Amino acid sequence: MDSDDDNMEEVVEGPLDEDDQPHGFCTVTYSSSDRFEGHFVHGEKNGKGKFFFFDGSTLEGFYVDDALQGQGIYTYEDGGALHGTYVDGELNGPAQEFNPEGQLAFRGQYKDNIRYGMCWVYYPDGACVVGEVNEDGEMTGKLVAYVYPDGRTALYGSFVDGELIEARLATLTAQENGRPHFTVDPDSPVYCYDKSTSSCIAGHKLLPDPYESQRVYVGQSLISGAGEGLFAKTEAETNTVMAFYNGVRITHTEVDSRDWSMNGNTISLDEDTVIDVPEPFNLTENYCASLGHKANHSFTPNCKYDPYVHPRFGQIKCIRTIRAVEKDEELTVAYGYDHEPSGKSGPEAPECGPEVIKEKRHRPEMDRYRYFVFNQKSVVVLGILQVACAGLCVVCGFMDAVFRKSTTLSETRAPLWAGLIMAAPGVLALFASQKKNPILVNVMIASSVMSLFAVVIVFVYACVTLSYGEEDDEIFHAHHIPEVRFVLSRMVKGANGTLLVACMGSLLFSSLIAYVGCRSLPLCGCYDSANGMEFLVPQNDPFTPTELVCTWQDGDERIFNSPMSFMDRCPEQEQQDISTLPPYSRIA
């Protein structure tokens, strides 16, 4: 956050004094690619100026005798900013820091460019950590507190670099000159950092969150058939955090590969992690450390899911109000189902009870084209390997064409054009993994089948040409040096042997690409290739209205539902015995 006085000046643009030193408003570019624009007096910065650093950050303020003095603004490369007090070019005094969205991220003191004394660190979710920092400027010690978004409820105790070690419930009662005063509850349980893993949801499963306990409770839902629901214990304004959504941390691949009925309490945390509340922890008698998973779905919700950094659970999701709610009002969120009147774009929601929706919910941010697009990383790898095998065929075919005399067989140039055909499914797989387009996937499957025929042709070509001997002058170009003729023939034989290996690899990868593509586009009459819909068959009665699930392809990643009779759309499945199928099995 400070300029380097040892930087050697490279270019000076502006007026110079009699000693060729910058004098007046000048632009100086240094060898490090840093640039300073401001006022100089005989080679020294004096007056308003601004540094432009090579990494995109800037430092702006008032310079006296070549050093920044008073108020200065350091802007980070990501857009965040630090407003601080500078003495002789170093941060010394009160400062405030803002994130790229303009929200307050830090408030406190600096000493010699290091945070000092009582400091406040704010999270985007509305919570903060406050306390005396150590000599390294870290929020470490036994007198640190995490303050919840209400500005009163706190956990006061031991922290290391802002992370909770152990603390008790406390109340922030007052602030004097930036110093908070807490009243600690001596009878409070001890709260510790308790981040979940893939197998452990929490170390203290029955220890409620003190903030959440003040705002919500679990009761019988007012929605018919929905089971339990989440209710507001007190009135709450818009944008109030009400509950937290913690659970075991699993991967998207694990969620996508298991039975749909197991994903009733899953929500995406990020691109790699999914939060899940599996059985038996969906029951409050087994787990009540967080209650966000109890919120039911509504097409007109009063809450939404938001990211949250929790002192016990780490990075999770929270339930935040999107309008004012009354005491004892049920809290609902939108799971992502589309609900449009008949005649408008998008299928209507099913006229089934909310319990069906609740049992089958799969949060929109986590769906990731579950019923349409295959695993993206796998297809990318298959596409690259297929293109590599096709490239080998083309290169080896070119070598065969150059070093072999023209014959009826070699004039076909089979490895060249067949290699191009073999590359098509690989290229289409790379595009299909990104575009998520059903037409593109259908073309990819068709090209994979064509590639299999091309593989057979190249395989036969390589097997036949390998039977030629290197001494056959009528096959290979004659050369007066026997050794050279021997090497050339060996090169051609090596190329043809490589063709065989590439064919085997291409055969495998083309088959896998076709298989994955077909699994993504089920060959069932219930499937609409234009929008990626498919029916889910209830276990008990195939003639009752059935939920139709799909994913919208415009990037919104929403789930739609529509009531339709399964037998009306899939008569070919009429004789199928579905008595052994799990609830809502997917037809493949």
Side-chain angles (χ1 to χ4, degrees):
M1 292 181 291
D2 193 13
S3 61
D4 187 358
D5 293 334
D6 295 329
N7 278 340
M8 183 176 63
E9 299 175 6
E10 281 190 340
V11 179
V12 177
E13 298 178 14
L16 305 177
D17 62 10
E18 61 275 8
D19 296 323
D20 292 332
Q21 296 295 318
H23 189 71
F25 186 85
C26 299
T27 298
V28 180
T29 303
Y30 299 94
S31 57
S32 62
S33 298
D34 296 341
R35 186 177 82 256
F36 178 83
E37 294 180 0
H39 292 272
F40 288 80
V41 176
H42 299 299
E44 290 187 341
K45 306 177 192 72
N46 275 278
K48 188 175 182 180
K50 186 174 185 179
F51 258 104
F52 297 85
F53 298 103
F54 71 94
D55 61 357
S57 59
T58 63
L59 176 61
E60 182 178 8
F62 196 87
Y63 289 80
V64 178
D65 296 335
D66 225 27
L68 184 61
Q69 303 286 352
Q71 294 299 309
I73 301 176
Y74 180 82
T75 304
Y76 299 93
E77 57 271 22
D78 63 358
L82 189 154
H83 299 241
T85 304
Y86 288 81
V87 177
D88 295 332
E90 293 188 338
L91 276 169
N92 279 279
Q96 287 185 328
E97 192 168 350
F98 299 87
N99 63 21
E101 288 71 37
Q103 298 172 308
L104 183 64
F106 169 82
R107 176 166 60 93
Q109 299 280 332
Y110 269 83
K111 182 178 181 181
D112 297 333
N113 287 333
I114 298 177
R115 291 177 179 178
Y116 174 79
M118 181 64 62
C119 295
W120 298 70
V121 177
Y122 298 90
Y123 294 115
D125 50 47
C128 65
V129 178
V130 57
E132 296 273 354
V133 298
N134 63 9
E135 59 184 10
D136 296 322
E138 298 173 341
M139 197 73 73
T140 299
K142 296 183 178 180
L143 302 176
V144 180
Y146 172 90
V147 183
Y148 283 92
D150 63 351
R152 288 181 50 82
T153 309
L155 297 178
Y156 187 84
S158 298
F159 287 72
V160 173
D161 198 13
E163 185 175 289
L164 173 66
I165 301 301
E166 60 177 35
R168 294 183 182 275
L169 178 63
T171 302
L172 176 58
T173 55
Q175 292 188 51
E176 295 180 5
N177 298 323
R179 302 190 67 88
H181 295 275
F182 294 95
T183 301
V184 181
D185 182 0
D187 299 325
S188 161
V190 176
Y191 298 89
C192 303
Y193 187 65
D194 198 9
K195 183 178 179 179
S196 62
T197 65
S198 60
S199 57
C200 179
I201 192 169
H204 301 279
K205 304 177 182 63
L206 300 180
L207 178 60
D209 181 87
Y211 175 89
E212 186 181 61
S213 299
Q214 297 173 18
R215 279 159 179 75
V216 297
Y217 65 92
V218 176
Q220 190 65 31
S221 175
L222 303 178
I223 304 172
S224 176
E228 291 183 328
L230 195 64
F231 294 83
K233 189 175 287 187
T234 61
E235 295 181 357
E237 298 296 327
T238 304
N239 205 37
T240 301
V241 174
M242 300 296 289
F244 304 112
Y245 202 121
N246 179 54
V248 296
R249 299 168 190 262
I250 57 179
T251 64
H252 286 279
T253 302
E254 182 177 351
V255 172
D256 292 342
S257 62
R258 68 188 185 182
D259 189 85
W260 179 265
S261 61
M262 298 178 64
N263 296 330
N265 289 316
T266 52
I267 185 172
S268 176
L269 181 61
D270 51 42
E271 288 295 323
D272 301 317
T273 308
V274 175
I275 295 178
D276 182 25
V277 183
E279 294 182 352
F281 302 117
N282 57 327
L283 303 177
T284 53
E285 55 263 32
N286 296 322
Y287 175 76
C288 61
S290 64
L291 301 173
H293 59 283
K294 289 295 184 180
N296 283 312
H297 165 79
S298 173
F299 290 113
T300 56
N302 51 26
C303 295
K304 65 176 181 178
Y305 296 112
D306 255 358
Y308 194 90
V309 180
H310 196 278
R312 287 175 61 192
F313 310 127
Q315 184 70 45
I316 57 170
K317 288 291 182 74
C318 72
I319 291 181
R320 186 186 297 271
T321 59
I322 57 178
R323 63 168 175 81
V325 297
E326 302 293 331
K327 180 181 179 181
D328 297 323
E329 181 178 350
E330 183 168 4
L331 304 179
T332 56
V333 290
Y335 292 169
Y337 302 102
D338 191 41
H339 189 57
E340 296 286 349
S342 299
K344 293 188 178 182
S345 60
E348 298 180 36
E351 297 298 330
C352 52
E355 186 173 11
V356 176
I357 299 177
K358 185 176 175 64
E359 277 301 312
K360 288 192 47 51
R361 69 186 180 194
H362 191 192
R363 299 302 195 289
E365 58 261 67
M366 135 140 213
D367 189 86
R368 301 190 315 143
Y369 307 94
R370 175 181 174 85
Y371 283 100
F372 173 61
V373 176
F374 33 78
N375 184 277
Q376 182 180 15
K377 293 182 180 179
S378 299
V379 174
V380 169
V381 173
L382 289 175
I384 293 174
L385 293 175
Q386 176 66 13
V387 171
C389 291
L392 278 177
C393 285
V394 172
V395 172
C396 294
F398 180 78
M399 292 177 59
D400 182 83
V402 170
F403 296 114
R404 187 190 301 279
K405 282 184 177 180
S406 295
T407 63
T408 304
L409 183 61
S410 64
E411 286 179 349
T412 62
R413 300 291 187 263
L416 295 177
W417 57 261
L420 296 177
I421 296 176
M422 291 160 58
V427 174
L428 290 170
L430 295 178
F431 279 103
S433 66
Q434 304 297 324
K435 291 295 184 180
K436 302 175 176 66
N437 186 292
I439 298 177
L440 190 59
V441 175
N442 280 306
V443 175
M444 182 195 72
I445 297 172
S447 65
S448 298
V449 176
M450 293 179 61
S451 175
L452 296 177
F453 288 103
V455 167
V456 174
I457 293 174
V458 177
F459 187 84
V460 173
Y461 179 93
C463 289
V464 173
T465 54
L466 274 174
S467 64
Y468 295 150
E470 63 270 11
E471 68 282 354
D472 297 335
D473 290 339
E474 69 278 7
I475 300 299
F476 297 101
H477 292 294
H479 199 280
H480 64 280
I481 301 178
E483 288 80 3
V484 174
R485 185 169 64 250
F486 178 81
V487 170
L488 292 178
S489 64
R490 288 298 180 185
M491 288 179 63
V492 176
K493 281 185 172 293
N496 282 270
T498 305
L499 280 176
L500 290 175
V501 176
C503 286
M504 297 302 294
S506 181
L507 181 66
L508 173 63
F509 301 135
S510 293
S511 301
L512 290 175
I513 290 174
Y515 170 76
V516 174
C518 290
R519 289 290 296 172
S520 303
L521 302 175
L523 302 178
C524 171
C526 299
Y527 183 82
D528 186 344
S529 62
N531 53 30
M533 298 180 183
E534 67 177 330
F535 280 92
L536 302 177
V537 185
Q539 179 176 354
N540 53 357
D541 186 3
F543 296 94
T544 57
T546 304
E547 188 177 9
L548 183 63
V549 175
C550 75
T551 53
W552 187 246
Q553 303 302 315
D554 63 355
D556 195 25
E557 293 190 346
R558 297 177 298 172
I559 303 177
F560 296 82
N561 304 269
S562 176
M564 278 191 176
S565 173
F566 169 70
M567 287 305 174
D568 290 343
R569 288 291 304 275
C570 253
E572 66 273 19
Q573 299 289 336
E574 187 170 358
Q575 302 301 323
Q576 181 180 1
D577 181 11
I578 61 172
S579 60
T580 59
L581 295 176
Y584 297 95
S585 298
R586 190 179 77 166
I587 299 176

